[in-house]
Amino acid sequence: MSHVRIFDTTLRDGEQSPGFSMNTEEKIRMAHQLAALGVDIIEAGFPIASKGDLEAVLAVAKEVREVPIAALARARKDDILAAAEALKPAKSPRMHVFLATSDLHLQAKLHMTREQALEAIGSMVKLARNLVAEVEFSAEDAGRTEIEFLCQACQIAVDAGATVLNLPDTVGYAVPEEYAEMFLKVREHLGDPEHIILSAHCHDDLGLAVANSLAAVRAGVRQIECTVNGIGERAGNAALEEVAVALAVRKESFGIATKLKLNELYKSSRLLTQITGAQVAPNKAVVGANAFAHEAGIHQDGIIKNPLTYEIISPEAVGVPSRSLVLGKHSGRHALRLSLTELGYDPNDAELAECYRRVTTLADQSKQVRARDLMTIAHEVMRRKAVPVASEAAPAV
Ligand code: KIV
Ligand code: ZN
């Protein structure tokens, strides 16, 4: 397979976490941006969860035609019917059916035996396949499922018509070697059929979601489920921008990358923060305000001489505004306000005064204040303000 598919679940697993829920209009706006980013599939919601979510999935399926749309369903008839209804307008629909397979989940949560679980997987994947052309099966808590039983469950899902098999580390418990090993064993059990795509879905409880997803790619996984800014249940999901940039920057090591337009990453991150009001941490990889800011004198000196000294990713490549601002100690407050407005900020007089003080201090030290330095300053001074999407077009990678 030529590339690693990006299954974006910002609008489902992402919005499922406290403080991140989105209404229909917001989901549509975000879905259009995800399409511009070039994701391979958008999971738009969990239609049985609420009437609002069913309507949101319907609306996204109607409005966003250029990307396949997925909807989530438990392995239950009502869920599957609701998801099928929501997916009706989609040009390329995918039903995402899941059932937990770990003994812990089966016994404590579902009160099901393994035999009952296998029966439900077979019959519900078959039902979904009769309603929608493409079916993905997820073995929830696969990371803590006994491997022989997991292989059995996967075989039954494939026999019932699933063509994508997702093996989530639902609770973020796995470590990279272990997670990769699980995929190798399942692949071997299935006989590595060409038409089956294996998929990784990792949570970040131990801060390993991206590392685990990348390890899965080395084990033959060709779909990664992830979210913009890494939002999602508890500590979140694998961050889409980190997965994509890691695969791109280390392409010689992985031998495969995504098809994303990386210069849309920053804009996607900003749109999400604008919609949800939740800012990313300044030190967040790829899209954080400090990701391309250099404060230490030695680093600044290196960057001026050759950016490769301290930057493995160019800010332009991921769409971070990098235009050199001619902001220096001679610049006035008017130019500063204009530059801040261009970056999407709307400072009051006190904030402007504080930004001015910091800009002139920095200008004294390094002569030039670039857009990304200004963004760091603006973020620190106005951290509680939602930041609108940067409209600047970025050059291609
Ligand atoms: O984390 C998980 O197991 C999930 C499934 C529903 C795919 O989100
Ligand atoms: Zn999840």
Side-chain angles (χ1 to χ4, degrees):
M1 285 171 202
S2 62
H3 72 288
V4 176
R5 286 146 187 80
I6 292 296
F7 176 108
D8 181 276
T9 183
T10 307
L11 306 181
R12 199 280 298 169
D13 214 330
E15 82 120 17
Q16 213 163 290
S17 49
F20 287 94
S21 82
M22 289 174 235
N23 62 31
T24 299
E25 182 269 325
E26 291 165 338
K27 281 198 174 187
I28 291 173
R29 238 181 337 139
M30 195 65 211
H32 278 303
Q33 177 55 34
L34 293 170
L37 173 62
V39 304
D40 295 275
I41 181 155
I42 294 171
E43 186 166 51
F46 187 17
I48 196 76
S50 70
K51 197 164 166 283
D53 215 27
L54 190 147
E55 278 161 11
V57 178
L58 258 176
V60 170
K62 230 181 258 169
E63 296 256 342
V64 183
R65 313 291 298 160
E66 63 273 46
V67 184
I69 304 296
L72 185 68
R74 287 169 298 185
R76 294 186 188 184
K77 193 171 171 196
D78 286 353
D79 284 43
I80 290 170
L81 296 180
E85 186 190 336
L87 287 172
K88 251 185 208 141
K91 202 165 158 209
S92 312
R94 181 189 292 181
M95 176 95 68
H96 180 187
V97 179
F98 77 98
L99 186 77
T101 48
S102 67
D103 287 331
L104 179 61
H105 277 233
L106 286 176
Q107 287 161 17
K109 186 182 81 175
L110 299 173
H111 308 295
M112 274 176 130
T113 62
R114 284 185 173 189
E115 290 65 36
Q116 287 168 325
L118 294 179
E119 198 288 318
I121 292 167
S123 59
M124 292 299 116
V125 168
K126 218 171 260 166
L127 172 65
R129 185 63 190 76
N130 285 336
L131 298 166
V132 174
E134 191 174 44
V135 174
E136 166 172 339
F137 172 69
S138 279
E140 192 191 14
D141 206 20
R144 293 189 298 174
T145 300
E146 194 235 338
I147 191 69
E148 280 75 28
F149 182 63
L150 183 63
C151 290
Q152 240 182 313
C154 288
Q155 187 67 63
I156 284 179
V158 167
D159 293 345
T163 50
V164 182
L165 281 180
N166 183 42
L167 305 182
D169 178 24
T170 302
V171 290
Y173 177 75
V175 294
E177 307 73 35
E178 212 173 82
Y179 193 55
E181 182 71 17
M182 176 184 71
F183 282 101
L184 291 174
K185 288 198 170 133
V186 169
R187 256 179 90 183
E188 192 188 344
H189 179 88
L190 295 176
D192 205 8
E194 280 229 342
H195 70 291
I196 302 297
I197 296 179
L198 291 178
S199 168
H201 177 117
C202 298
H203 282 268
D204 210 29
D205 300 67
L206 296 177
L208 292 171
V210 171
N212 286 340
S213 303
L214 296 175
V217 169
R218 293 204 196 276
V221 157
R222 289 297 175 261
Q223 174 179 283
I224 294 181
E225 305 199 353
C226 46
T227 60
V228 173
N229 296 342
I231 68 169
E233 285 280 5
R234 305 180 311 280
N237 288 60
L240 177 150
E241 58 279 357
E242 295 178 22
V243 165
V245 170
L247 287 173
V249 169
R250 301 305 310 274
K251 194 168 177 198
E252 88 298 339
S253 172
F254 287 98
I256 194 158
T258 70
K259 275 195 174 165
L260 294 182
K261 296 180 186 71
L262 299 185
N263 61 356
E264 291 287 334
L265 285 173
Y266 181 73
K267 205 166 160 187
S268 307
S269 165
R270 281 300 169 110
L271 177 60
L272 185 65
T273 60
Q274 187 200 16
I275 287 174
T276 61
Q279 301 294 321
V280 296
N283 63 327
K284 165 84 176 65
V286 183
V287 292
N290 289 354
F292 300 100
H294 304 276
E295 184 154 349
I298 293 171
H299 288 214
Q300 286 183 342
D301 182 51
I303 284 285
I304 289 163
K305 289 174 176 151
N306 181 345
L308 292 177
T309 52
Y310 289 102
E311 273 179 0
I312 58 162
I313 315 159
S314 89
E316 294 84 1
V318 295
V320 171
S322 66
R323 170 176 44 93
S324 272
L325 296 184
V326 227
L327 271 182
K329 57 187 170 189
H330 304 300
S331 312
R333 281 166 207 247
H334 186 69
L336 176 59
R337 185 184 286 283
L338 196 70
S339 299
L340 287 168
T341 309
E342 279 175 11
L343 289 177
Y345 290 91
D346 180 22
N348 60 31
D349 288 346
E351 288 164 341
L352 184 69
E354 178 56 18
C355 287
Y356 186 74
R357 191 188 66 72
R358 294 185 188 211
V359 163
T360 47
T361 307
L362 184 59
D364 265 341
Q365 292 162 357
S366 60
K367 293 203 169 57
Q368 197 184 48
V369 179
R370 291 165 304 173
R372 51 195 204 248
D373 303 318
L374 185 59
M375 278 171 55
T376 308
I377 290 172
H379 178 79
E380 283 171 8
V381 174
M382 293 170 277
R383 62 180 68 230
R384 267 174 265 286
K385 285 194 170 180
V387 181
V389 189
S391 57
E392 236 173 318
V397 187

